[in-house]
Each structure stands twice: as C-alpha cells, then as structure tokens.
Amino acid sequence: MKHTYRKCTHLLAGVSALIVVSLVGCGVGESNVVIGNREGILHLGNASEPTGLDPHVVTTTDASRILGALFEGLVTRNPWTLEPEPGVAERWEISTDGLIYTFHINPKAVWSNGEPITASDYVWTWKRALHPKTGNRNAYLLYVIDNAEAFATGAIDDFGEVGVKALEEAILQVTLRGPTPHFLVQLMHHSSYALHPETILKHGEMTDRFTQWTRPENFVGNGPFILEEWAMNRYIKVGKSPTYWDRDKVSLNGVVFYPIEDDNIEERMFRVDQLHRTFTLPLDKIPAYSTMPDTPFRTAPYLGSYFYVVNNLRAPTDDVRVRKALALAVDREKIARTIMYDSVIPAYGVVPPFIPHYTPPAPFAFNPERARELLAEAGYPDGEGWPGLEITYNTSEAHRKIAIAIQQMWKKNLGVEITLANQEWKVYVETVNQKDYQVARMGWIGDVYPSSFLELFLTDGGNNDSGYSDPRFDDLLISKGGQSVTREERYRYMQQAEALLMDAMPIIPIYSYTTRLLQHPSVEGMPLNVTQSINLKYAELVPGRTLPDSIR
C-alpha cells in the first residue's frame, strides 16, 4: 500500500542532519496537509529520531508513539476516558484475590503476516523481555508478575517458575506477586507488547538487540498500521494494516512521523500546512497563539516530570549536602513564569500533582540561604574549592534556556561555576545511560499511578540513571506498597517512599509538564489527556478545514 505525500525537502544545517520541508523554495504544489486530508495520511511532528523500534530496547516517548501504531497490547487505552479496553484480548477475568488474570485472545487477532496471535507468543515475548541478556531497561515494569524479578536478576533460570502460562493457545494466565490494581494500565505500555517469535529468531538470537527484524521489509507487528518506510532522520511512514482485527474502525490510511528536534522549525512547518500536529510549541510563541481567534493551540495537564538527574556516584554530587544545596538554590517559580510563560507547574517532587487520591509529601522550598549553609557544610563555602560541575542536556531551545537560567542561579546563590554541554539526542541518551555525566536534563512520562514515577529509582532499576539506592525505599515501594490490598494503604507507603527519595535528592525537580502543541482543525479523534496518549485507531481527518488566516 503506497501513498503520496509532498517530498519537497532540503537539508537544514544544525538540526542533526534532519531533512525537513523547505519553507522558502517549495511554494509550488499542494501541501502535506491538503494531500493528507484527501488521502487519509496524517503528518505528525515526533520530537526526535527513535533509537530503534524494538519494544524491549527503546525507552523514549518518540519511539513509543510509533510502536503504538505498529503494535497492540492485550488491552489498549481509550483516549477519552483513559480506561483499558479490549485489544488482543477480547475479554479477561480477575480472581477475587486480585492475583490471577486470565486473558482470552481474540480469535480475529493476527500478526501482519496473517498468522494467529497465541498465548504462547506472550509467554515467549515476556521471557525475552525479562531475560538478563536482553538488557531491557523497562523489564521492571513486569516485576509485578510472580517470580518475574527473580528471573530477570538471575536468581532463578527456569522461566516455567514465572507466573505466565499459556493454558491454551488462546488463553493466557498471569499470576501476580501481589494485588496490583493498575496491572491492566501497565499492559498498555510497549514493554508488554507481544512480538512474533519466528521474526525475531530469523534475524538473530532471542536476546539480540538492534537486529534487522525492525527494518520495514522484515517487520511483523499486530497493530492498526504496518511499517512501510524508515528514512533515517527524515521520517517514518506507516500504512493501514489489512490484517488488523478491528481495521474497519481505522479511518486513516497512513501516518508519517517526523523527527524534528527544533521547535521553531516544527512550528513553521505547521504554519505552511506541512504538519497536522506538532509535538510541542516554542515557548515564545505561546502568548501569540493563546490570544489568536480560532487558535490551533492546545494545552492540558500532562503526567510528566521535568527534572535534573544527579549522578550520585561522582563527586561532588555524591554528597547529599551538595545535591540538596543545588536543589534549594533553584527558583522554580521564576523559571515557570519567565522562561516557560506560565505554561508549566513548578515541581518539588518527582510525582506530578495530577494523580487522583495521591498527595505528594510536603515540598521543600526555594531557600538560597539554607543552600549556602549546606554547601559550606560539604566543604565549599561560597563556592571556595568547588571542583566544577557540568549540566548535560539534549538539543532544544527550551532545555538550553533552562540550563542557562539554572547556571546563573547557582552562580548567584552558591558562588559556583557551571559549564553546559549540549548533545544530539542519541549521544545524550547514551551519555546518561552510561552515567557519564554529573547533572543531566531528564523528563519522565508516567501513568495514572504514582509508582510509575517512583519505580525509576529502585536499586539497579533499568531506568535508574542516578545511581541512587536505598533498601528502605525499595521495601516501601515493592514489599509494602506492592503487597497492600487497599489503594489508601498502598499510596501511603508510596508517599513515604517519595519522602525518602526527596530527602536524598537524587534528582532536582524543575516542573510538572503540560501538553502544548498545535493541531490542525482537520484532525479529529486525538483528544488531549493527562497521559498524552494517542490511539491512532480513532484518529481521522476531515477535508476542507483550514487554518485561520491570522496564522500565516
């Protein structure tokens, strides 16, 4: 299935070799939006080039959005209610003690090569996801399954002891280590998607990473779309799947994802009808778009945290007094007001304040005087003897502005010199993953339960880039919180865990996210929500709608 779209592109220097639509010399012909509306092709800004399309390798939002088009989990998310609804599983039962989930595979659910999806595919896939050799940084998300952590850490080597069983080819039984009311929500994450075993093994061993199975000519998925083309640093194109079980509900014929790291380029592409929707919006454009009649600007609370992760294993930030001093010397209110144009919420913890029934622990406050005292106690009075510190951040104008502001705040309030290091996305990801940094910009998008943020800091956790480790924290989150029957008790333990975390300050919270983007009036079925979830199965395009003249 092939679709046309505008290929009037050129190379823009300084955008990580990204080839995007020229805004100057390509005025002839129809735009992506006009063609897309007619042919049912959605054009989306997607932040960065994904590091891959293997659900057990990638951890970033840009890859997750594409994987959500190419795969479907046992359950999927309704983008309006955020409630789980049938995906590969047409129905499921939960035991009265909340420990056993029995999923019935939809007989119409097949792989993109036409083969049926089986319960055994899930057993094989989750073994791969949890296998120590796979190196899956999201493996911990499956630790709620009985003995999953023991297998992942090498304590046991028989996967038959893990609580995942194929009772029949169409019946999957999952036994949890403790009641986990949000288990269905976790199954919406790409780390739990089933993979086609024969496709993986055709291109390597079960646990191999970055093999050729993710190339378009080899790819086998089970989502509403199939992978058609991957032009590195230009776009990833997917087309409507002819084998998807619920294809009659899929309105779009395809989606083109563009890795655009420069917010200003993305905004200009939107204005000239080359994108239906942006990933974000340049901060200095918010005032103008906010007051525009019939504005395409959209904003909503977003379950994400923007913070600086601090390397707890390298001097001088291996000293908790230094970490606390740095945190107390940041004026978050000023950053939110001036740099972010009041579009975010200042943060004093890692869990955003949008999760129902969860109250974060009492926050600390901006306190330069106490910050200076702590730095002096650590041996650096007024910055004397300071060994230097570097902030690492990935390419983004907003990240740069925030880094400069914090650099100046630490100079003014603590008397310390800070250097800045800007890195292209893939280099930055590797730098942080290898803990080859001192302080690094970080963001995390969680879900509607606090542990989706707190689990980042479990000892030796796959996404714990700070080096933080506290057995008391692990016990509160896993043993006590994980075994609690009631939500009130579970959340109380999680609140205690967050209090411990913020007392150790392995991160410096900056703000809680909000979604801010531009959306063309022709787009329907993509509502904003606190998880910024997009279920492209419901997206559609309405021809004839245009942007207001004031945007040109």
Side-chain angles (χ1 to χ4, degrees):
M1 183 183 300
K2 297 295 182 182
H3 305 287
T4 60
Y5 65 100
R6 196 177 185 197
K7 292 187 177 179
C8 183
T9 60
H10 74 176
L11 183 63
L12 293 181
V15 195
S16 304
L18 172 66
I19 299 181
V20 298
V21 174
S22 171
L23 304 173
V24 178
C26 303
V28 179
E30 294 179 305
S31 68
N32 284 343
V33 168
V34 170
I35 297 173
N37 287 350
R38 183 173 64 246
E39 299 188 353
I41 308 297
L42 179 69
H43 296 266
L44 289 179
N46 199 46
S48 301
E49 176 73 14
T51 54
L53 290 177
D54 185 331
H56 299 152
V57 173
V58 299
T59 61
T60 57
T61 303
D62 46 59
S64 183
R65 295 176 77 180
I66 301 169
L67 291 174
L70 299 173
F71 291 97
E72 182 174 72
L74 286 166
V75 297
T76 187
R77 191 193 302 271
N78 183 291
W80 289 274
T81 67
L82 301 183
E83 293 297 318
E85 57 185 28
V88 173
E90 63 177 352
R91 57 188 173 89
W92 52 86
E93 294 104 30
I94 306 172
S95 62
T96 54
D97 61 6
L99 294 180
I100 300 176
Y101 286 66
T102 304
F103 297 95
H104 299 265
I105 306 296
N106 188 334
K108 295 181 181 179
V110 298
W111 295 105
S112 55
N113 64 2
E115 295 179 10
I117 299 173
T118 68
S120 298
D121 292 337
Y122 277 92
V123 175
W124 187 92
T125 297
W126 289 358
K127 180 179 180 180
R128 178 184 192 256
L130 289 164
H131 200 291
K133 291 183 179 180
T134 304
N136 179 9
R137 289 166 60 84
N138 283 323
Y140 68 90
L141 293 174
L142 296 173
Y143 286 2
V144 296
I145 299 173
D146 189 41
N147 276 333
E149 183 177 12
F151 180 79
T153 56
I156 62 174
D157 56 14
D158 181 5
F159 194 74
E161 297 180 40
V162 179
V164 183
K165 311 293 181 188
L167 301 185
E168 298 178 17
E169 282 302 278
I171 300 179
L172 177 71
Q173 184 185 82
V174 182
T175 303
L176 307 184
R177 65 183 178 188
T180 310
H182 59 266
F183 180 57
L184 291 177
V185 176
Q186 286 194 220
L187 291 180
M188 300 174 192
H189 191 270
H190 66 254
S191 60
S192 69
Y193 293 162
L195 302 179
H196 185 250
E198 290 78 8
T199 296
I200 307 299
L201 296 175
K202 184 178 180 180
H203 298 281
E205 301 295 327
M206 169 194 269
T207 58
D208 285 350
R209 296 160 60 88
F210 299 108
T211 68
Q212 295 187 19
W213 80 265
T214 57
R215 293 189 176 184
E217 63 271 21
N218 303 325
F219 200 94
V220 174
N222 71 321
F225 298 89
I226 56 176
L227 184 62
E228 290 188 344
E229 188 176 0
W230 187 350
M232 197 70 67
N233 292 315
R234 296 175 61 194
Y235 55 81
I236 290 178
K237 185 181 178 185
V238 303
K240 184 175 178 178
S241 172
T243 62
Y244 177 57
W245 70 272
D246 207 15
R247 57 190 173 276
D248 290 344
K249 287 186 179 177
V250 180
S251 173
L252 297 175
N253 287 317
V255 184
V256 186
F257 298 89
Y258 297 89
I260 309 169
E261 295 187 3
D262 190 310
D263 300 348
N264 291 291
I265 289 177
E266 186 180 42
E267 187 267 342
R268 290 197 294 272
M269 288 179 68
F270 179 84
R271 277 196 285 115
V272 295
D273 275 352
Q274 302 306 325
L275 294 176
H276 281 102
R277 181 165 167 167
T278 66
F279 187 83
T280 187
L281 176 67
L283 296 171
D284 58 0
K285 300 294 178 65
I286 292 175
Y289 277 103
S290 298
T291 57
M292 183 183 297
D294 300 318
T295 181
F297 177 54
R298 303 286 183 269
T299 185
Y302 183 20
L303 275 172
S305 292
Y306 186 105
F307 53 89
Y308 277 8
V309 61
V310 182
N311 194 331
N312 288 214
L313 307 178
R314 290 177 57 177
T317 52
D318 57 344
D319 189 323
V320 66
R321 295 168 298 185
V322 172
R323 299 197 296 270
K324 286 185 173 181
L326 295 173
L328 294 175
V330 174
D331 188 346
R332 293 153 186 79
E333 306 288 338
K334 185 176 182 180
I335 289 174
R337 184 178 65 255
T338 59
I339 298 176
M340 304 302 292
Y341 292 89
D342 284 323
S343 66
V344 298
I345 300 171
Y348 298 89
V350 69
V351 180
F354 310 134
I355 296 180
H357 311 291
Y358 180 79
T359 303
F364 58 93
F366 173 53
N367 191 337
E369 182 177 351
R370 178 56 181 154
R372 286 189 288 272
E373 291 174 355
L374 286 166
L375 197 67
E377 291 174 14
Y380 310 108
D382 297 321
E384 183 180 339
W386 181 249
L389 192 70
E390 183 174 74
I391 297 173
T392 302
Y393 64 95
N394 60 293
T395 304
S396 162
E397 184 63 13
H399 299 337
R400 186 186 69 85
K401 288 180 178 179
I402 291 173
I404 291 173
I406 291 177
Q407 178 189 45
Q408 294 171 347
M409 290 175 186
W410 286 346
K411 174 65 175 177
K412 175 183 176 181
N413 297 325
L414 299 175
V416 297
E417 296 292 339
I418 306 295
T419 57
L420 307 181
N422 172 31
Q423 295 182 348
E424 182 269 338
W425 176 248
K426 290 185 179 180
V427 176
Y428 157 82
V429 170
E430 184 65 18
T431 295
V432 176
N433 289 352
Q434 296 299 320
K435 296 184 178 64
D436 187 21
Y437 74 96
Q438 291 177 297
V439 175
R441 184 222 66 94
M442 184 62 67
W444 186 256
I445 311 305
D447 221 306
V448 287
Y449 51 97
S451 58
S452 65
F453 291 89
L454 297 172
E455 287 171 346
L456 287 176
F457 304 98
L458 289 170
T459 299
D460 296 326
N463 287 310
N464 185 351
D465 296 312
S466 68
Y468 169 78
S469 175
D470 187 335
R472 298 173 300 166
F473 177 87
D474 299 344
D475 180 62
L476 285 166
L477 202 57
I478 297 177
S479 300
K480 293 186 171 64
Q483 301 296 324
S484 300
V485 175
T486 67
R487 180 179 61 198
E488 290 75 15
E489 183 181 30
R490 187 166 56 255
Y491 279 14
R492 185 165 62 251
Y493 286 128
M494 291 181 185
Q495 185 185 46
Q496 294 173 22
E498 187 174 7
L500 270 180
L501 183 76
M502 298 319 300
D503 186 57
M505 209 67 76
I507 65 166
I508 300 171
I510 308 297
Y511 63 76
S512 297
Y513 281 110
T514 57
T515 299
R516 55 182 190 279
L517 54 80
L518 300 174
Q519 180 169 298
H520 197 275
S522 62
V523 177
E524 297 282 357
M526 293 176 61
L528 298 190
N529 52 61
V530 295
T531 63
Q532 209 185 47
S533 299
I534 297 177
N535 191 332
L536 290 167
K537 168 180 175 176
Y538 294 107
E540 57 182 307
L541 296 170
V542 182
R545 296 181 182 178
T546 60
L547 291 172
D549 291 338
S550 55
I551 200 174
R552 305 299 182 185

